[in-house]
Amino acid sequence: MKTVDQHASDIIAAIHPMSPRRTALREAHGCVLAAHVRATVAVPGFDNSAMDGYAARAADVAEASEDNPVTLPVAGEIMAGPVSPAPLAPGTVVRIMTGAPLPKGADTIVQLEWTDGGIETVRINQAPRRGLHIRRAGEDIAPGNLVLAAGTVLGAAQIGLLAAVNVARPAVHPRPRVAVLSTGSELVEVGTPLGPGQIVDSNSHAIAAAAHEAGALVRRVDGVSDDPDEFGATFDELLRSTDVLITTGGISVGARDVVKQVLSKSDEIRFERIAMQPGKPQGFGVVGGVPVFTLPGNPVSALVSFELFVRPALRRMRGLPAGPGGASWRQPATGTVTVRVSETMQSAAGRRTFPRVRLERDDTGELVATSAGGQGAHQMSGLASAHALLVVPEEVTEVPAGTKLPAVLLPEPEWAGPFGEARG
Ligand code: AMP
Ligand code: MG
């Protein structure tokens, strides 16, 4: 059997970041910048006032105090807006609003609170130093400055910064389109009453949601039966209009394992047994440039496989470090932590097992892992309450309480945003 690490690195070796594309800021949100952005403009673009008040020459108001106020004529008013103010005549001030351009000759702002607020003339009772409340052109960003480096994830502040430097369409790695197809003649659509032997197709919804959380544009289609022609036709259709294709079910050693049966005919996809539990049968290949993941049918196996193999691939396509473990604190991705196991657990010999665990911090701040419930590959309730996948090494068959082990954190769903649907 192939190791988990070997399988994961074979996959990553076959995956490339999505080709950069210029997109509107709205679509760029959450994407990774594909090239450095340098400023072509200054921010602020012109000297302007940081306060509502009066633009003045510091020398004209230098003597002002509570006891000895200075009264000066008000020569006019400058609002924030597309104006080129006249130069400030010596011995006068102009009313000025926050963000309005500074008139030539002015070198300080007297904030409104330091005056009587006069319209024709103004009484000033405190002396501002030169330069006070003036925002100089380029003091945030100067032309030629590196604004954002390639590899930066574009969150709200970064999107705002791009807009501020007048970059409407940054080059980003676009979100990959992911198509999700489940297989099995026993499957019916959610919301449908079940007949004998039927089950609800939960995998396609779970995998679609996971891909969505991982930042993909997801297209989920209704599951197909174990009929090779039906599967083959849907597979081919999806392949033409997606960047990644994920199937579930039909890859083990059963009599009608349709995915394996149909896709084994080409040698682009390899079906292998991976030394892991859950998720021993796996298939992966690149067909016509599209990475294809054929995940096992058991719901827990499918989602655990997603975390271990698909999510890192999607991260790489999005221009992020592949992770787990390669993730930074900024990135909504799985990471690995060390935990202490609170109860003795059994583990399959010769296979890396991934028990679903809940995490808690003890008094010393250490993370303590407790089984999240039934550990069968079909038991979704445990996974749904789990915080992490414990990583039990291949050679270990029993984990005594108190053992320290790594655990792969499961992502928090709050990271998902309304990314929209992929169109075919
Ligand atoms: P398979 O890999 O197709 O042999 O499926 C393994 C197990 O997972 C069987 O019990 C299937 O009924 C179940 N299963 C397969 N596909 C799905 C699905 N889309 N949703 C829920 N359970 C599934
Ligand atoms: Mg099946």
Side-chain angles (χ1 to χ4, degrees):
M1 273 192 286
K2 192 180 178 186
T3 65
V4 172
D5 294 336
Q6 186 62 53
H7 192 55
S9 62
D10 287 352
I11 289 170
I12 286 301
I15 300 283
H16 308 288
M18 298 281 291
S19 303
R21 188 187 306 158
R22 291 196 177 272
T23 66
L25 293 181
R26 192 187 136 98
E27 283 154 69
H29 184 201
C31 292
V32 175
L33 207 55
H36 289 345
V37 172
R38 289 189 183 279
T40 56
V41 295
V43 181
F46 50 90
D47 293 355
N48 68 93
S49 176
M51 282 280 188
D52 295 327
Y54 298 82
R57 294 172 188 266
D60 290 343
V61 294
E63 303 303 320
S65 68
E66 282 293 347
D67 300 334
N68 190 19
V70 171
T71 299
L72 291 173
V74 179
E77 193 171 60
I78 312 168
M79 305 289 188
V83 290
S84 305
L88 182 71
T92 70
V93 297
V94 285
R95 268 167 69 80
I96 192 165
M97 307 304 149
T98 304
L102 193 73
K104 262 207 170 51
D107 60 4
T108 192
I109 303 293
V110 189
Q111 68 188 78
L112 201 59
E113 295 82 348
W114 291 8
T115 74
D116 67 354
I119 305 290
E120 306 273 285
T121 65
V122 62
R123 207 171 66 191
I124 295 166
N125 42 44
Q126 262 194 74
R129 60 174 167 75
R130 271 190 79 208
L132 191 66
H133 303 316
I134 292 174
R135 306 192 283 214
R136 291 291 174 195
E139 73 175 26
D140 188 3
I141 298 153
N145 278 12
L146 180 64
V147 175
L148 290 171
T152 302
V153 182
L154 300 180
Q158 294 74 29
I159 291 290
L161 181 57
L162 289 172
V165 296
N166 218 351
V167 172
R169 298 179 69 81
V172 299
H173 298 287
R175 297 177 183 281
R177 295 170 301 169
V178 171
V180 181
L181 171 65
S182 55
T183 65
S185 295
E186 71 277 33
L187 304 179
V188 299
E189 269 305 295
V190 65
T192 314
L194 299 178
Q198 292 185 320
I199 63 166
V200 176
D201 167 18
S202 63
N203 280 348
S204 65
H205 292 281
I207 297 299
H212 177 75
E213 284 178 17
L217 297 171
V218 181
R219 177 171 177 208
R220 192 203 73 92
V221 297
D222 290 354
V224 294
S225 74
D226 291 320
D227 173 64
D229 293 336
E230 188 190 356
F231 169 73
T234 308
F235 182 90
D236 289 343
E237 195 263 310
L238 289 176
L239 198 63
R240 282 194 291 271
S241 58
T242 194
D243 301 310
V244 175
L245 180 45
I246 305 173
T247 68
T248 76
I251 58 162
S252 45
V253 292
R256 294 207 79 176
D257 276 322
V258 66
V259 174
K260 194 171 177 179
Q261 189 187 323
V262 171
L263 300 182
S264 293
K265 288 179 189 144
S266 82
D267 32 62
E268 287 154 311
I269 298 181
R270 289 180 60 173
F271 293 93
E272 293 171 290
R273 292 162 67 228
I274 312 299
M276 63 188 281
Q277 187 180 62
K280 180 168 64 172
Q282 297 285 341
F284 172 76
V286 179
V287 183
V290 176
V292 175
F293 294 85
T294 68
L295 305 183
N298 271 306
V300 177
S301 310
L303 266 179
V304 168
S305 305
F306 182 95
E307 288 304 322
L308 298 177
F309 306 125
V310 185
R311 181 184 296 278
L314 294 180
R315 288 179 55 83
R316 180 154 168 74
M317 293 179 83
R318 296 187 55 210
L320 296 166
S328 82
W329 66 273
R330 298 221 54 158
Q331 292 156 4
T334 51
T336 302
V337 293
T338 301
V339 302
R340 194 180 77 232
V341 177
S342 73
E343 56 193 329
T344 299
M345 294 183 191
Q346 310 304 317
S347 176
R351 291 159 72 179
R352 190 177 297 181
T353 61
F354 298 94
R356 279 68 70 198
V357 293
R358 294 185 62 77
L359 301 180
E360 222 172 18
R361 279 197 196 278
D362 69 8
D363 300 342
T364 69
E366 209 171 63
L367 286 169
V368 181
T370 309
S371 170
Q375 296 289 343
H378 59 295
Q379 291 177 296
M380 279 296 281
S381 57
L383 180 55
S385 71
H387 301 131
L389 304 174
L390 194 64
V391 183
V392 184
E394 288 77 350
E395 65 282 4
V396 174
T397 53
E398 185 179 279
V399 181
T403 308
K404 291 197 179 170
L405 286 176
V408 177
L409 292 173
L410 296 168
E412 300 207 49
E414 70 193 278
W415 281 104
F419 299 141
E421 285 256 312
R423 286 180 295 276

